[in-house]
Amino acid sequence: MEISELQISQVNKQIEALIKAESFYGKKLEEAGITRISTSEDFKKLPFSEKKDLRDAYPLGLMTAPESEIVRIHSSSGTTGLPVIIPYTAKDVDDWAIMFKRCYELAGITNMDRIQITPGYGLWTAGIGFQNGAEKLGAMVIPMGPGNTDKQLQMMQDMKSTVLCSTSSYALLLAEEIEKRGIKDKICLKKGVIGSERWGEKMRKRISEELGIELYDIYGLTEIYGPGIGISCKYDNGMHYWDDYVYIEILDPVTLEPVPDGEMGEIVITTLVKEGAPLIRYRTHDLSRIIPGECPCGCKHPRLGVIMGRTDDMMKIKGVNVFPSQIEEVLKEFPELSSEYQIRISHLDGKDTMRIYVETDGSVDFVELSKRIAERVKSRIGFTPLVKVVEIGVLPRSEKKTKRVIDERYE
C-alpha cells in the first residue's frame, strides 16, 4: 500500500502542526532535520512513535491544537504505567463518528435498528464511540454500558434490541446466559459488532450460533480515535479500514521494514487529518496483514486481516518463543472443546511450567483428551505442557476482556 500524493500532503499538514506545537514528535522531526516529505521514500524515513512516547507526554503533552479547541479527552487504562491522555477537537469527534457510521453501514445496520451498547463509557473510548456512530447513523441507542447482565437481558427483550455491541468475552457470556435461561425465542438480535480483544474462529462460531446473529469485527485503538477505524463486511474476509483518515503500513516487527501485501507484520498507523493529537508512524504492536485485491462486497477501502495477536504477547518458556495464537490454533483442531481456555505459566523447582486449561462437556474422556492436546501442542511448540480439562462454564467469564494468559513467574 504505497502512500498517495494526497496522503503525503495530509501528512505534511500533520508534520507542520506537530513542529509548531513543539510536541515530542515535533522535536524528533527537528532532530532528524525533517520539515516536510515529498515521496514515499521520504515517508519511510520519518521516525516512529511508541506507547512510551505517549506515556512520557502525560498529561497533555500530546495536545497539538490550541486548548480552546479541545472539547474532550480519552485515556488508555494505564494498567502497565501512566495512562495515555488523548485530546480531541470537535472535528476529531465528528470525524470519528463519521468513520463509525460507515462501520455500521458496512455491516448492513440502518437507522431502524436498535443498538444495545455494552462496552464501558467514561475515559475509555469504546462506549461513547459506539454511541456517537449510532447517533450519526440515526439509529436508536440503548446505552447500557458494562455489567448487570440481568438488566442487559431484560432491556434486550423489552426494547427488542437488534444489534449488540460488545467485547467477544461479554457476547459469549450473554449467549450462555440466554441459553441457560431459555429465552432465545424472546431475543430479537440480528447482528453483533464486536471489538477490543482478539478472538478466535471457534469463539466467533459459538457466539454466532448461540445468539443466531451475524458478527462483524471492528478495529481501533484509543490512541487512534478509538474503535471504528475499520470493520469486517458480510464476506468476513478482513476488515476494511478508512484510508482517507488513517494510513496503515505493515512492517516486520524486528527490522521495521515493509513486508509485501499478504504477509504478516506489525500494524503501524499514521493519522491523516487528526487535530487534537496527531500521530505519525505509531507502532501499535498488533499483528496482521494487508489483504490484496478487491473485496466481493464492492467497498473500495483496503482491508486488514484479522488481528493475530501482539508482538508483546510473546511468552518465553524453556527458551522457546510462544504466542497465545499458536496455542489457540492447536485448540481449534479439537471440535469437542469450547472456545474458552486459559494459560498459566509458573516457575517451579527451577524450571518453567505451562499449564493449559480447556473446557469440554461430560461426553468425553478428560484424561485421554488432555493427553492428545498435550501431544499436539508439543508437536507445534517443542515442549509438553500440562493440560487440565474442565467442564464447560468452569473457566472465568468476563464482562470486559478475558485474561487468557497469566504469568505467575514474576508475581
Side-chain angles (χ1 to χ4, degrees):
M1 296 296 301
E2 285 294 314
I3 192 165
S4 69
E5 287 187 18
L6 172 60
Q7 289 169 328
I8 286 173
S9 70
Q10 290 170 323
V11 170
N12 281 328
K13 286 180 181 176
Q14 303 274 272
I15 288 173
E16 183 182 344
L18 288 161
I19 292 174
K20 185 178 178 182
E22 298 183 334
S23 71
F24 82 89
Y25 196 84
K27 290 171 184 170
K28 280 189 178 186
L29 290 169
E30 287 182 332
E31 288 169 7
I34 298 171
T35 56
R36 62 180 292 104
I37 62 170
S38 301
T39 65
S40 291
E41 290 308 309
D42 289 345
F43 178 82
K44 291 170 188 173
K45 294 174 185 173
L46 290 172
F48 294 100
S49 45
E50 298 260 12
K51 191 73 168 266
K52 182 182 183 302
D53 296 320
L54 277 55
R55 286 201 182 102
D56 290 346
Y58 181 88
L60 286 172
L62 297 179
M63 188 167 66
T64 304
E67 186 170 343
S68 60
E69 296 177 15
I70 300 299
V71 300
R72 184 195 294 175
I73 65 152
H74 282 292
S75 171
S76 66
S77 62
T79 51
T80 55
L82 281 173
V84 173
I85 303 290
I86 305 293
Y88 293 68
T89 66
K91 182 179 181 298
D92 292 337
V93 171
D94 197 52
D95 284 349
W96 183 18
I98 290 167
M99 285 188 278
F100 222 123
K101 175 175 178 276
R102 289 183 188 176
C103 289
Y104 284 130
E105 289 172 333
L106 199 61
I109 297 165
T110 75
N111 63 351
M112 294 307 294
D113 277 295
R114 300 179 182 186
I115 302 178
Q116 186 156 330
I117 297 171
T118 69
Y121 283 76
L123 286 173
W124 198 30
T125 54
I128 202 164
F130 281 100
Q131 177 160 334
N132 285 352
E135 290 176 351
K136 181 72 79 172
L137 180 68
M140 182 192 295
V141 173
I142 305 162
M144 296 297 297
N148 199 341
T149 298
D150 287 340
K151 185 73 169 176
Q152 295 276 4
L153 295 176
Q154 188 64 51
M155 291 294 283
M156 193 178 288
Q157 293 172 77
D158 294 347
M159 295 304 301
K160 295 182 168 37
S161 307
T162 59
V163 178
L164 172 67
C165 300
S166 76
T167 64
S168 55
S169 295
Y170 197 41
L172 178 63
L173 189 154
L174 289 171
E176 290 179 336
E177 280 297 315
I178 288 167
E179 179 69 25
K180 194 185 301 180
R181 300 178 191 205
I183 57 173
K184 188 172 181 180
D185 61 333
K186 298 176 183 177
I187 300 296
C188 300
L189 291 177
K190 297 176 182 174
K191 298 173 189 285
V193 181
I194 310 296
S196 92
E197 61 182 341
R198 187 179 64 80
W199 50 322
E201 187 56 40
K202 182 167 281 193
M203 189 174 193
R204 179 187 302 271
K205 188 176 180 184
R206 270 192 78 195
I207 295 168
S208 177
E209 289 180 353
E210 291 190 23
L211 288 177
I213 61 176
E214 297 173 8
L215 294 178
Y216 296 86
D217 205 349
I218 200 160
Y219 183 58
L221 305 88
T222 298
E223 302 90 333
I224 314 286
Y225 295 99
I229 65 172
I231 193 170
S232 58
C233 65
K234 66 179 181 180
Y235 288 92
D236 196 23
N237 185 19
M239 297 177 289
H240 294 274
Y241 64 89
W242 314 123
D243 58 335
D244 46 346
Y245 288 94
V246 294
Y247 177 69
I248 289 183
E249 305 169 83
I250 304 292
L251 305 183
D252 182 302
V254 177
T255 67
L256 297 180
E257 292 296 320
V259 301
D261 287 355
E263 286 192 17
M264 193 67 64
E266 180 180 339
I267 300 173
V268 176
I269 301 181
T270 295
T271 62
L272 297 174
V273 294
K274 206 154 189 264
E275 296 179 337
L279 288 176
I280 292 179
R281 303 199 84 192
Y282 179 67
R283 293 189 62 186
T284 68
H285 294 283
D286 288 337
L287 294 167
S288 187
R289 63 191 179 96
I290 295 291
I291 298 178
E294 290 194 6
C295 181
C297 79
C299 178
K300 300 302 180 186
H301 290 278
R303 288 173 292 160
L304 279 173
V306 296
I307 306 301
M308 294 302 296
R310 293 178 53 80
T311 60
D312 46 9
D313 274 346
M314 189 182 76
M315 309 167 282
K316 192 149 192 168
I317 307 166
K318 299 184 178 182
V320 178
N321 295 336
V322 181
F323 286 90
S325 57
Q326 291 175 291
I327 304 301
E328 196 169 276
E329 284 293 312
V330 172
L331 298 182
K332 78 177 186 182
E333 296 172 8
F334 292 84
E336 56 268 61
L337 295 179
S338 86
S339 60
E340 296 306 283
Y341 67 92
Q342 187 181 88
I343 300 169
R344 286 185 174 265
I345 307 161
S346 306
H347 191 75
L348 301 170
D349 301 325
K351 61 183 180 180
D352 290 340
T353 300
M354 175 193 274
R355 288 168 288 157
I356 303 174
Y357 295 84
V358 294
E359 291 185 341
T360 190
D361 61 30
S363 65
V364 300
D365 184 323
F366 283 19
V367 174
E368 190 270 338
L369 178 59
S370 66
K371 183 181 176 183
R372 286 193 290 126
I373 294 169
E375 289 172 351
R376 194 78 60 89
V377 171
K378 182 185 180 183
S379 72
R380 185 70 57 91
I381 64 176
F383 64 85
T384 305
L386 300 172
V387 178
K388 175 72 172 175
V389 180
V390 299
E391 291 206 4
I392 289 176
V394 169
L395 293 179
R397 303 307 196 242
S398 174
E399 294 171 351
K400 296 180 181 178
K401 299 181 184 181
T402 297
K403 189 171 179 63
R404 301 191 185 282
V405 180
I406 300 167
D407 195 334
E408 300 167 330
R409 291 177 294 184
Y410 311 109
E411 293 179 358

